[in-house]
Amino acid sequence: MRAAVITFPGSNCDRDMAVAIEQVSGKAPIRVWHGDADLPDGLDFIALPGGFSYGDYLRSGAMAANSPIMRSVVAAAGRGVPVLGVCNGFQVLTEAGLLPGALMRNAGQTFVCRTVALSVENGESLFTRGYGAGASIRIPVAHHDGNFFADEATLDRLEGEGRVAFRYGEAVNGSQRDIAGVLNEAGNVLGMMPHPERAIEDAQGGSDGRAMFESIFANLAVA
Amino acid sequence: MKVRIHVSLKPGVLDPQGRAVHHALDGLGFSGVEDVRIGRLVELEVADTTTDEALAEMCEKLLANTVIENYRIEKVAA
């Protein structure tokens, strides 16, 4: 299993993501810098971490989406490589056009930093198989721009195609239809505002994020 | 050539910042403000040969997020 974690200037959850991947898979991921043009060969999984890439200049994720490495990430996603974007990583994925919609300023205007309830809406994706549909989990969020917006037609399509992976179980940031995470059409790209890498073991206050990484890596072992 | 790119939220997209500023204006006693929407102004200094197509592409690819924003290109007389 070869995983990579991309670091942009201003990423601050890249180490947490790398530690989570190593703890669950037993193998440390390759750390890739945003200015690299190419990804390492033979990757099985790519993670875009949280943080404030490029200081959130222009729009959250907008600058990172146009960095050299993202062209390679878009190409890898097109080949079916699983890509997970958490928080700022989710913002980067929408800005790069790999996922629909946009993440706007939280409706309450404040930075939200707490553990929230999520319901697993699609329990069959390669990221969520370990939970099963309808599972209720608790994962930390920490963001200012997590208010998911898409037009009604796009939202209907996402719901109809089972591409809403997670929904908030409580009011968090004003997201349309309480959407916390969405999948791309092929199901190999997931963007989510909550941080599963911050919920890997009980010492972190909960371990509900662990099953996501187990799902991803179990799938790779079979493949 | 100086170009101003006006980026604004699409109609119907909730603008929490605009709403907060609206409340603040109310609090200052300015009555009759019916709505506040906050956008962004990007000023570019570009070569005179820059085409309209190139300017539009800059907006589509980076300066605006067309999922939530509209843009308007204004060329400013020197």
Side-chain angles (χ1 to χ4, degrees), chain A residues 159-180:
Chain A
E159 304 242 26
E161 294 174 354
R163 290 167 57 189
V164 176
F166 299 103
R167 227 186 281 275
Y168 297 111
E170 57 193 88
V172 174
N173 53 27
S175 286
Q176 301 273 302
R177 305 190 192 183
D178 293 323
I179 289 171

Side-chain angles (χ1 to χ4, degrees), chain A residues 58-59 62-63 66 95 101-102 104-107 109 147 149-150, chain B residues 9 13-14 16-17 19-20 40 61-65 67-69:
Chain A
L58 196 61
R59 297 176 303 276
M63 309 302 286
N66 290 288
E95 284 282 347
M104 302 184 57
R105 180 52 47 98
N106 293 344
Q109 288 282 59
N147 182 354
F149 178 89
Chain B
L9 281 176
V13 175
L14 180 72
Q17 282 189 80
R19 203 170 50 180
R40 174 184 291 115
K61 282 193 170 167
L62 182 63
L63 301 177
N65 179 344
V67 174
I68 48 172
E69 294 168 333

Side-chain angles (χ1 to χ4, degrees), chain B residues 54-74:
Chain B
L55 290 170
E57 204 177 345
M58 291 179 204
C59 294
E60 296 277 339
K61 282 193 170 167
L62 182 63
L63 301 177
N65 179 344
T66 56
V67 174
I68 48 172
E69 294 168 333
N70 289 326
Y71 62 86
R72 181 167 61 81
I73 298 168
E74 177 197 5

Side-chain angles (χ1 to χ4, degrees), chain A residues 161-203:
Chain A
E161 294 174 354
R163 290 167 57 189
V164 176
F166 299 103
R167 227 186 281 275
Y168 297 111
E170 57 193 88
V172 174
N173 53 27
S175 286
Q176 301 273 302
R177 305 190 192 183
D178 293 323
I179 289 171
V182 296
L183 294 154
N184 70 340
E185 200 167 358
N188 68 309
V189 178
L190 170 66
M192 60 190 295
M193 291 311 297
H195 287 269
E197 81 281 8
R198 294 189 189 179
I200 296 298
E201 55 185 321
D202 289 337

Side-chain angles (χ1 to χ4, degrees), chain B residues 3-76:
Chain B
V3 178
R4 291 197 185 112
I5 311 290
H6 301 264
V7 181
S8 56
L9 281 176
K10 286 184 174 177
V13 175
L14 180 72
D15 179 5
Q17 282 189 80
R19 203 170 50 180
V21 170
H22 191 179
H23 285 153
L25 288 172
D26 282 345
L28 288 169
F30 293 103
S31 58
V33 178
E34 287 177 6
D35 196 16
V36 178
R37 311 275 291 169
I38 293 179
R40 174 184 291 115
L41 173 65
V42 183
E43 290 189 332
L44 304 176
E45 193 67 51
V46 298
D48 290 348
T49 51
T50 307
T51 63
D52 290 352
E53 291 73 28
L55 290 170
E57 204 177 345
M58 291 179 204
C59 294
E60 296 277 339
K61 282 193 170 167
L62 182 63
L63 301 177
N65 179 344
T66 56
V67 174
I68 48 172
E69 294 168 333
N70 289 326
Y71 62 86
R72 181 167 61 81
I73 298 168
E74 177 197 5
K75 292 180 183 169
V76 183

